[in-house]
PDB file of all heavy atoms in Angstrom:
ATOM      1  N   LEU A 112      -2.635 -31.458  -1.877  1.00  0.00           N
ATOM      2  CA  LEU A 112      -2.558 -32.817  -2.069  1.00  0.00           C
ATOM      3  C   LEU A 112      -1.853 -33.187  -3.335  1.00  0.00           C
ATOM      4  O   LEU A 112      -1.094 -34.083  -3.488  1.00  0.00           O
ATOM      5  CB  LEU A 112      -3.904 -33.361  -2.001  1.00  0.00           C
ATOM      6  CG  LEU A 112      -4.035 -34.998  -2.143  1.00  0.00           C
ATOM      7  CD1 LEU A 112      -3.205 -35.694  -0.959  1.00  0.00           C
ATOM      8  CD2 LEU A 112      -5.425 -35.514  -2.211  1.00  0.00           C
ATOM      9  N   ASP A 113      -2.252 -32.399  -4.432  1.00  0.00           N
ATOM     10  CA  ASP A 113      -1.711 -32.728  -5.813  1.00  0.00           C
ATOM     11  C   ASP A 113      -0.161 -32.510  -5.758  1.00  0.00           C
ATOM     12  O   ASP A 113       0.660 -33.326  -6.319  1.00  0.00           O
ATOM     13  CB  ASP A 113      -2.247 -31.784  -6.804  1.00  0.00           C
ATOM     14  CG  ASP A 113      -1.849 -31.978  -8.163  1.00  0.00           C
ATOM     15  OD1 ASP A 113      -1.834 -33.169  -8.598  1.00  0.00           O
ATOM     16  OD2 ASP A 113      -1.629 -30.997  -8.946  1.00  0.00           O
ATOM     17  N   LYS A 114       0.348 -31.431  -5.098  1.00  0.00           N
ATOM     18  CA  LYS A 114       1.713 -31.216  -4.956  1.00  0.00           C
ATOM     19  C   LYS A 114       2.401 -32.183  -4.121  1.00  0.00           C
ATOM     20  O   LYS A 114       3.593 -32.509  -4.295  1.00  0.00           O
ATOM     21  CB  LYS A 114       2.008 -29.884  -4.333  1.00  0.00           C
ATOM     22  CG  LYS A 114       1.514 -28.709  -5.272  1.00  0.00           C
ATOM     23  CD  LYS A 114       2.181 -28.781  -6.721  1.00  0.00           C
ATOM     24  CE  LYS A 114       1.392 -27.840  -7.626  1.00  0.00           C
ATOM     25  NZ  LYS A 114       1.723 -28.225  -8.960  1.00  0.00           N
ATOM     26  N   ILE A 115       1.816 -32.697  -3.049  1.00  0.00           N
ATOM     27  CA  ILE A 115       2.349 -33.829  -2.305  1.00  0.00           C
ATOM     28  C   ILE A 115       2.702 -35.077  -3.204  1.00  0.00           C
ATOM     29  O   ILE A 115       3.735 -35.628  -2.973  1.00  0.00           O
ATOM     30  CB  ILE A 115       1.465 -34.215  -1.099  1.00  0.00           C
ATOM     31  CG1 ILE A 115       1.420 -33.140  -0.087  1.00  0.00           C
ATOM     32  CG2 ILE A 115       1.936 -35.528  -0.464  1.00  0.00           C
ATOM     33  CD1 ILE A 115       0.496 -33.315   1.023  1.00  0.00           C
ATOM     34  N   GLY A 116       1.748 -35.401  -3.953  1.00  0.00           N
ATOM     35  CA  GLY A 116       1.798 -36.548  -4.946  1.00  0.00           C
ATOM     36  C   GLY A 116       3.018 -36.217  -5.916  1.00  0.00           C
ATOM     37  O   GLY A 116       3.808 -37.171  -6.184  1.00  0.00           O
ATOM     38  N   ASP A 117       3.067 -34.916  -6.448  1.00  0.00           N
ATOM     39  CA  ASP A 117       4.159 -34.632  -7.378  1.00  0.00           C
ATOM     40  C   ASP A 117       5.567 -34.802  -6.631  1.00  0.00           C
ATOM     41  O   ASP A 117       6.499 -35.242  -7.279  1.00  0.00           O
ATOM     42  CB  ASP A 117       4.002 -33.339  -7.874  1.00  0.00           C
ATOM     43  CG  ASP A 117       2.798 -33.162  -8.843  1.00  0.00           C
ATOM     44  OD1 ASP A 117       2.340 -34.127  -9.368  1.00  0.00           O
ATOM     45  OD2 ASP A 117       2.396 -31.964  -9.107  1.00  0.00           O
ATOM     46  N   ALA A 118       5.655 -34.352  -5.518  1.00  0.00           N
ATOM     47  CA  ALA A 118       6.848 -34.345  -4.644  1.00  0.00           C
ATOM     48  C   ALA A 118       7.270 -35.756  -4.382  1.00  0.00           C
ATOM     49  O   ALA A 118       8.440 -36.130  -4.615  1.00  0.00           O
ATOM     50  CB  ALA A 118       6.724 -33.604  -3.442  1.00  0.00           C
ATOM     51  N   TYR A 119       6.290 -36.684  -4.078  1.00  0.00           N
ATOM     52  CA  TYR A 119       6.653 -38.026  -3.951  1.00  0.00           C
ATOM     53  C   TYR A 119       7.125 -38.677  -5.209  1.00  0.00           C
ATOM     54  O   TYR A 119       8.121 -39.477  -5.148  1.00  0.00           O
ATOM     55  CB  TYR A 119       5.450 -38.766  -3.422  1.00  0.00           C
ATOM     56  CG  TYR A 119       5.744 -40.217  -3.161  1.00  0.00           C
ATOM     57  CD1 TYR A 119       6.574 -40.688  -2.143  1.00  0.00           C
ATOM     58  CD2 TYR A 119       5.104 -41.294  -3.896  1.00  0.00           C
ATOM     59  CE1 TYR A 119       6.898 -41.967  -1.840  1.00  0.00           C
ATOM     60  CE2 TYR A 119       5.284 -42.591  -3.714  1.00  0.00           C
ATOM     61  CZ  TYR A 119       6.204 -43.013  -2.681  1.00  0.00           C
ATOM     62  OH  TYR A 119       6.450 -44.288  -2.482  1.00  0.00           O
ATOM     63  N   ARG A 120       6.537 -38.409  -6.321  1.00  0.00           N
ATOM     64  CA  ARG A 120       6.977 -39.045  -7.468  1.00  0.00           C
ATOM     65  C   ARG A 120       8.356 -38.532  -7.863  1.00  0.00           C
ATOM     66  O   ARG A 120       9.280 -39.378  -8.346  1.00  0.00           O
ATOM     67  CB  ARG A 120       6.025 -38.688  -8.687  1.00  0.00           C
ATOM     68  CG  ARG A 120       4.580 -39.273  -8.521  1.00  0.00           C
ATOM     69  CD  ARG A 120       4.518 -40.697  -8.309  1.00  0.00           C
ATOM     70  NE  ARG A 120       4.808 -41.335  -9.629  1.00  0.00           N
ATOM     71  CZ  ARG A 120       5.066 -42.622  -9.813  1.00  0.00           C
ATOM     72  NH1 ARG A 120       5.020 -43.490  -8.778  1.00  0.00           N
ATOM     73  NH2 ARG A 120       5.405 -43.130 -11.018  1.00  0.00           N
ATOM     74  N   LEU A 121       8.725 -37.278  -7.605  1.00  0.00           N
ATOM     75  CA  LEU A 121       9.959 -36.804  -7.787  1.00  0.00           C
ATOM     76  C   LEU A 121      11.062 -37.420  -6.934  1.00  0.00           C
ATOM     77  O   LEU A 121      12.124 -37.711  -7.331  1.00  0.00           O
ATOM     78  CB  LEU A 121      10.060 -35.204  -7.627  1.00  0.00           C
ATOM     79  CG  LEU A 121      11.324 -34.506  -7.919  1.00  0.00           C
ATOM     80  CD1 LEU A 121      11.732 -34.716  -9.415  1.00  0.00           C
ATOM     81  CD2 LEU A 121      11.255 -33.021  -7.564  1.00  0.00           C
ATOM     82  N   TYR A 122      10.623 -37.664  -5.682  1.00  0.00           N
ATOM     83  CA  TYR A 122      11.483 -38.345  -4.699  1.00  0.00           C
ATOM     84  C   TYR A 122      11.858 -39.736  -5.223  1.00  0.00           C
ATOM     85  O   TYR A 122      12.968 -40.236  -5.194  1.00  0.00           O
ATOM     86  CB  TYR A 122      10.828 -38.406  -3.356  1.00  0.00           C
ATOM     87  CG  TYR A 122      11.332 -39.404  -2.448  1.00  0.00           C
ATOM     88  CD1 TYR A 122      12.569 -39.233  -1.819  1.00  0.00           C
ATOM     89  CD2 TYR A 122      10.738 -40.713  -2.236  1.00  0.00           C
ATOM     90  CE1 TYR A 122      13.145 -40.104  -0.905  1.00  0.00           C
ATOM     91  CE2 TYR A 122      11.248 -41.566  -1.316  1.00  0.00           C
ATOM     92  CZ  TYR A 122      12.479 -41.344  -0.699  1.00  0.00           C
ATOM     93  OH  TYR A 122      12.937 -42.205   0.181  1.00  0.00           O
ATOM     94  N   GLN A 123      10.761 -40.458  -5.791  1.00  0.00           N
ATOM     95  CA  GLN A 123      11.005 -41.807  -6.342  1.00  0.00           C
ATOM     96  C   GLN A 123      12.047 -41.624  -7.537  1.00  0.00           C
ATOM     97  O   GLN A 123      12.881 -42.482  -7.571  1.00  0.00           O
ATOM     98  CB  GLN A 123       9.671 -42.374  -6.777  1.00  0.00           C
ATOM     99  CG  GLN A 123       8.885 -42.923  -5.725  1.00  0.00           C
ATOM    100  CD  GLN A 123       7.588 -43.681  -6.174  1.00  0.00           C
ATOM    101  OE1 GLN A 123       7.046 -43.343  -7.258  1.00  0.00           O
ATOM    102  NE2 GLN A 123       7.127 -44.727  -5.449  1.00  0.00           N
ATOM    103  N   PHE A 124      11.712 -40.718  -8.434  1.00  0.00           N
ATOM    104  CA  PHE A 124      12.542 -40.522  -9.470  1.00  0.00           C
ATOM    105  C   PHE A 124      14.052 -40.323  -9.167  1.00  0.00           C
ATOM    106  O   PHE A 124      14.981 -40.899  -9.709  1.00  0.00           O
ATOM    107  CB  PHE A 124      11.997 -39.436 -10.385  1.00  0.00           C
ATOM    108  CG  PHE A 124      12.875 -39.045 -11.646  1.00  0.00           C
ATOM    109  CD1 PHE A 124      13.011 -39.972 -12.696  1.00  0.00           C
ATOM    110  CD2 PHE A 124      13.675 -37.987 -11.679  1.00  0.00           C
ATOM    111  CE1 PHE A 124      13.876 -39.635 -13.774  1.00  0.00           C
ATOM    112  CE2 PHE A 124      14.505 -37.629 -12.635  1.00  0.00           C
ATOM    113  CZ  PHE A 124      14.499 -38.457 -13.780  1.00  0.00           C
ATOM    114  N   LEU A 125      14.238 -39.391  -8.174  1.00  0.00           N
ATOM    115  CA  LEU A 125      15.626 -39.119  -7.909  1.00  0.00           C
ATOM    116  C   LEU A 125      16.276 -40.192  -7.065  1.00  0.00           C
ATOM    117  O   LEU A 125      17.552 -40.356  -7.167  1.00  0.00           O
ATOM    118  CB  LEU A 125      15.673 -37.698  -7.144  1.00  0.00           C
ATOM    119  CG  LEU A 125      15.325 -36.530  -7.896  1.00  0.00           C
ATOM    120  CD1 LEU A 125      15.250 -35.348  -7.046  1.00  0.00           C
ATOM    121  CD2 LEU A 125      16.186 -36.260  -9.000  1.00  0.00           C
ATOM    122  N   GLY A 126      15.533 -40.886  -6.198  1.00  0.00           N
ATOM    123  CA  GLY A 126      16.050 -41.893  -5.381  1.00  0.00           C
ATOM    124  C   GLY A 126      16.437 -43.118  -5.956  1.00  0.00           C
ATOM    125  O   GLY A 126      17.380 -43.840  -5.546  1.00  0.00           O
ATOM    126  N   ARG A 127      15.654 -43.542  -7.040  1.00  0.00           N
ATOM    127  CA  ARG A 127      15.867 -44.932  -7.538  1.00  0.00           C
ATOM    128  C   ARG A 127      16.578 -44.804  -8.849  1.00  0.00           C
ATOM    129  O   ARG A 127      17.041 -45.811  -9.322  1.00  0.00           O
ATOM    130  CB  ARG A 127      14.637 -45.543  -7.831  1.00  0.00           C
ATOM    131  CG  ARG A 127      13.769 -45.828  -6.473  1.00  0.00           C
ATOM    132  CD  ARG A 127      12.573 -46.604  -6.720  1.00  0.00           C
ATOM    133  NE  ARG A 127      11.921 -46.948  -5.502  1.00  0.00           N
ATOM    134  CZ  ARG A 127      10.843 -47.509  -5.474  1.00  0.00           C
ATOM    135  NH1 ARG A 127      10.153 -47.820  -6.610  1.00  0.00           N
ATOM    136  NH2 ARG A 127      10.174 -47.712  -4.317  1.00  0.00           N
ATOM    137  N   GLY A 128      16.643 -43.715  -9.465  1.00  0.00           N
ATOM    138  CA  GLY A 128      17.247 -43.605 -10.852  1.00  0.00           C
ATOM    139  C   GLY A 128      16.353 -44.220 -11.953  1.00  0.00           C
ATOM    140  O   GLY A 128      16.709 -44.415 -12.996  1.00  0.00           O
ATOM    141  N   ASN A 129      15.118 -44.397 -11.603  1.00  0.00           N
ATOM    142  CA  ASN A 129      14.083 -44.923 -12.548  1.00  0.00           C
ATOM    143  C   ASN A 129      13.371 -43.848 -13.163  1.00  0.00           C
ATOM    144  O   ASN A 129      13.074 -42.680 -12.537  1.00  0.00           O
ATOM    145  CB  ASN A 129      13.149 -45.835 -12.037  1.00  0.00           C
ATOM    146  CG  ASN A 129      13.773 -47.180 -11.421  1.00  0.00           C
ATOM    147  OD1 ASN A 129      14.846 -47.522 -11.899  1.00  0.00           O
ATOM    148  ND2 ASN A 129      13.166 -47.669 -10.425  1.00  0.00           N
ATOM    149  N   ALA A 130      12.819 -43.940 -14.351  1.00  0.00           N
ATOM    150  CA  ALA A 130      12.009 -42.886 -14.928  1.00  0.00           C
ATOM    151  C   ALA A 130      10.585 -42.956 -14.222  1.00  0.00           C
ATOM    152  O   ALA A 130      10.244 -43.972 -13.702  1.00  0.00           O
ATOM    153  CB  ALA A 130      11.783 -43.174 -16.449  1.00  0.00           C
ATOM    154  N   ILE A 131       9.964 -41.816 -14.150  1.00  0.00           N
ATOM    155  CA  ILE A 131       8.729 -41.719 -13.486  1.00  0.00           C
ATOM    156  C   ILE A 131       7.731 -42.587 -14.169  1.00  0.00           C
ATOM    157  O   ILE A 131       7.502 -42.561 -15.411  1.00  0.00           O
ATOM    158  CB  ILE A 131       8.172 -40.292 -13.510  1.00  0.00           C
ATOM    159  CG1 ILE A 131       9.098 -39.388 -12.645  1.00  0.00           C
ATOM    160  CG2 ILE A 131       6.752 -40.119 -12.893  1.00  0.00           C
ATOM    161  CD1 ILE A 131       8.763 -37.952 -12.712  1.00  0.00           C
ATOM    162  N   GLY A 132       7.033 -43.465 -13.493  1.00  0.00           N
ATOM    163  CA  GLY A 132       6.084 -44.297 -13.970  1.00  0.00           C
ATOM    164  C   GLY A 132       6.551 -45.739 -14.223  1.00  0.00           C
ATOM    165  O   GLY A 132       5.869 -46.704 -14.674  1.00  0.00           O
ATOM    166  N   THR A 133       7.904 -45.951 -14.162  1.00  0.00           N
ATOM    167  CA  THR A 133       8.505 -47.237 -14.461  1.00  0.00           C
ATOM    168  C   THR A 133       9.232 -47.789 -13.198  1.00  0.00           C
ATOM    169  O   THR A 133      10.332 -48.369 -13.387  1.00  0.00           O
ATOM    170  CB  THR A 133       9.468 -47.085 -15.680  1.00  0.00           C
ATOM    171  OG1 THR A 133      10.538 -46.204 -15.276  1.00  0.00           O
ATOM    172  CG2 THR A 133       8.840 -46.586 -16.924  1.00  0.00           C
ATOM    173  N   ASP A 134       8.611 -47.574 -12.082  1.00  0.00           N
ATOM    174  CA  ASP A 134       9.286 -48.014 -10.866  1.00  0.00           C
ATOM    175  C   ASP A 134       9.004 -49.442 -10.576  1.00  0.00           C
ATOM    176  O   ASP A 134       9.281 -49.925  -9.566  1.00  0.00           O
ATOM    177  CB  ASP A 134       8.961 -47.103  -9.777  1.00  0.00           C
ATOM    178  CG  ASP A 134       7.475 -46.881  -9.407  1.00  0.00           C
ATOM    179  OD1 ASP A 134       6.692 -47.459 -10.307  1.00  0.00           O
ATOM    180  OD2 ASP A 134       7.112 -46.239  -8.591  1.00  0.00           O
ATOM    181  N   GLY A 135       8.210 -50.089 -11.402  1.00  0.00           N
ATOM    182  CA  GLY A 135       7.835 -51.521 -11.151  1.00  0.00           C
ATOM    183  C   GLY A 135       6.777 -51.728 -10.366  1.00  0.00           C
ATOM    184  O   GLY A 135       6.186 -52.914 -10.327  1.00  0.00           O
TER     185      GLY A 135
END
Side-chain angles (χ1 to χ4, degrees):
L112 181 65
D113 185 43
K114 295 304 169 197
I115 288 170
D117 291 343
Y119 178 66
R120 297 302 287 170
L121 182 63
Y122 164 76
Q123 282 184 330
F124 173 71
L125 294 175
R127 294 186 182 175
N129 297 332
I131 295 176
T133 61
D134 56 0

